[in-house]
Amino acid sequence: MEKLTSPRVIETILKKYDLHFNKRFGQNFLIDENIVQKIVKAGDVGEDDLVLEIGPGIGTMTQALSDHAGKVITVEIDKKLIPVLHETLKECDNVTVVQGDILKTNVKEILADDLSNMPLKIVANLPYYITTPIIMGFLESDLPVESMTFLIQKEVGERLCGVPGTKAYGSLSIVAQFYADISIDFEVPAHVFIPKPKVDSIVVTLKKLATPRIELENKELFLSVVKASFLNRRKTLINGLMMNTPFDKEVLLEVLEACEIPPGIRGETLTGSDFGRIANALNQRMDIAGDPIK
Ligand code: SAM
C-alpha cells in the first residue's frame, strides 16, 4: 500500500469518504515521510513506551508511532475521520483510536492500566489553534508525562524556549519552563503539509521535570506577578508591579530587597525562579482573605 503521506492517496481517501480539510479543526496533514520519521525520532519513542497522540488526521504519524511504540492511544475530534482511521490503522494492533476533544477528554481514564507500567510520551502534529491550552494543560496536570514532542507554530516554539532579555521571552516562556526543559528539534517548511499553513512551523520537545523548578506557595499570585511584569515591557519591575498588583510600593520594595532583586530593572530580565521567589515572598504579606497586609 502507498504511504499516507502521498498527496494522491490523501485525495483518494478524501473522495472515498466525502471529506474536506476542516480549517476549524486546524487540519494540515503531513505529506513528507522523512518529516514524519524525524518527529517520531525526536519523540524518542521505543517499544516500552505508551504514546498519546493528539489529532491523528488520517493516521499518517500514527502508523509511524505504531511501528516504534509499545502502545499508541490517539484522540481525534473530527467524527468524520474515525472510519478513515479504522481503515488506515486496521493492521496496527497496538493502536486505540478515541473520538473526542483532547481538551475535554479524561486522559487518565483512556490511558487507564497502561499508565502505571509504561513511560508516557506525547507526540503530535498539533492543531495550532489550541497549542497553548494543550501544552499548559499537560504541564500542569499530574499525569506522569515523561516528554512531549510537538510540531507547532514556529513563533509559539520560540516563545516556549525564550530566554530572559529576548523578544520571544514572556509569560509563556516562564510558566512552561517552570515545569519542563524545552528544546527546539528542527524547523519544518510549509510545503510538507496539505493544505500549506500560512505560518512557519517547528518541532519542540518538552521534558517534564519531576517537580517544578521552585515550590510555589500561591500559584495564582505567581501567575499575576509574571503577568504584571510583562503587561508593559518598557516599565521597570517596580512600576509594573505597582500598577498591576494590589501591593503598596513600600511592601513591594521591601520584598524585592529581601529577594535581592533591583526594583529598577525590567521584568523581562528575570528568570522564572526569580518570579517564584518574589511571589512566595509577597504571599507572606497577604492575609487569609487574600488581601495585602498593610
Ligand atoms: N496528525 C495528522 C498529520 O500529521 O497529518 C494531522 C495533524 S492536523 C495539524 C491536526 C489534527 O488534530 C486534525 O486531524 C484535527 O482534526 C485534530 N484536532 C483538532 N482539534 C482537536 C481537538 N480539540 N482534539 C483532538 N483532535 C483535534
Side-chain angles (χ1 to χ4, degrees):
M1 186 191 160
E2 263 187 275
K3 292 275 184 196
L4 292 173
T5 40
S6 153
R8 219 174 48 81
V9 172
I10 296 176
E11 252 171 52
T12 310
I13 289 176
L14 292 182
K15 220 175 188 177
K16 178 173 171 189
Y17 289 88
D18 190 24
L19 296 172
H20 302 276
F21 293 110
N22 193 333
K23 257 193 182 171
R24 190 161 64 94
F25 290 146
Q27 290 178 350
N28 299 93
F29 296 167
L30 282 168
I31 53 167
D32 186 312
E33 191 57 31
N34 182 39
I35 295 287
V36 172
Q37 296 299 336
K38 273 178 83 175
I39 297 171
V40 176
K41 196 162 180 220
D44 192 25
V45 173
E47 58 188 16
D48 294 331
D49 295 325
L50 169 64
V51 175
L52 172 68
E53 187 195 16
I54 300 150
I58 57 168
T60 313
M61 197 152 72
T62 327
Q63 285 186 345
L65 289 167
S66 163
D67 286 344
H68 293 84
K71 190 156 184 184
V72 182
I73 313 266
T74 188
V75 181
E76 173 57 57
I77 196 170
D78 189 348
K79 288 193 178 111
K80 289 185 172 170
L81 288 172
I82 304 302
V84 179
L85 290 164
H86 285 147
E87 179 183 335
T88 59
L89 302 173
K90 65 176 183 288
E91 279 159 29
C92 303
D93 296 339
N94 58 350
V95 175
T96 304
V97 177
V98 176
Q99 191 277 320
D101 177 344
I102 191 66
L103 295 178
K104 294 184 186 148
T105 301
N106 184 336
V107 174
K108 239 181 219 170
E109 208 171 278
I110 61 167
L111 300 178
D113 305 338
D114 300 311
L115 205 50
S116 52
N117 46 36
M118 293 170 97
L120 173 62
K121 295 178 177 170
I122 311 180
V123 183
N125 169 12
L126 284 185
Y128 291 179
Y129 73 107
I130 43 170
T131 300
T132 308
I134 290 177
I135 293 182
M136 288 318 302
F138 283 112
L139 285 177
E140 290 179 331
S141 84
D142 59 358
L143 274 170
V145 180
E146 197 173 289
S147 66
M148 299 189 261
T149 297
F150 291 140
L151 172 50
I152 57 175
Q153 188 178 337
K154 184 177 171 191
E155 186 239 318
V156 181
E158 287 172 347
R159 286 201 279 132
L160 284 168
C161 298
V163 292
T166 61
K167 210 174 126 213
Y169 189 61
S171 20
L172 181 62
S173 332
I174 292 168
V175 182
Q177 290 170 29
F178 211 75
Y179 294 103
D181 284 328
I182 310 175
S183 56
I184 287 176
D185 296 309
F186 56 94
E187 294 191 15
V188 177
H191 66 78
V192 304
F193 298 89
I194 183 170
K196 283 185 200 168
K198 290 197 176 71
V199 292
D200 293 328
S201 303
I202 208 164
V203 175
V204 294
T205 293
L206 299 91
K207 294 218 156 97
K208 205 169 166 185
L209 303 171
T211 52
R213 287 194 200 279
I214 180 169
E215 199 176 318
L216 294 176
E217 290 172 17
N218 181 338
K219 198 168 130 204
E220 294 310 309
L221 182 58
F222 168 73
L223 294 177
S224 55
V225 167
V226 172
K227 222 169 136 195
S229 309
F230 282 93
L231 271 180
N232 190 334
R233 282 176 177 261
R234 291 178 174 278
K235 291 237 178 303
T236 58
L237 179 63
I238 183 72
N239 281 343
L241 292 174
M242 267 164 56
M243 284 174 66
N244 304 301
T245 70
F247 296 95
D248 290 343
K249 185 173 185 181
E250 210 174 284
V251 173
L252 289 166
L253 284 173
E254 276 172 30
V255 161
L256 291 178
E257 191 182 353
C259 294
E260 297 179 0
I261 293 172
I265 58 168
R266 288 191 184 158
E268 65 188 16
T269 62
L270 295 181
T271 65
S273 301
D274 292 332
F275 282 112
R277 284 190 297 123
I278 296 172
N280 282 351
L282 282 174
N283 190 50
Q284 299 295 321
R285 311 293 289 256
M286 289 179 108
D287 62 22
I288 298 173
D291 293 319
I293 300 168
K294 298 279 176 194

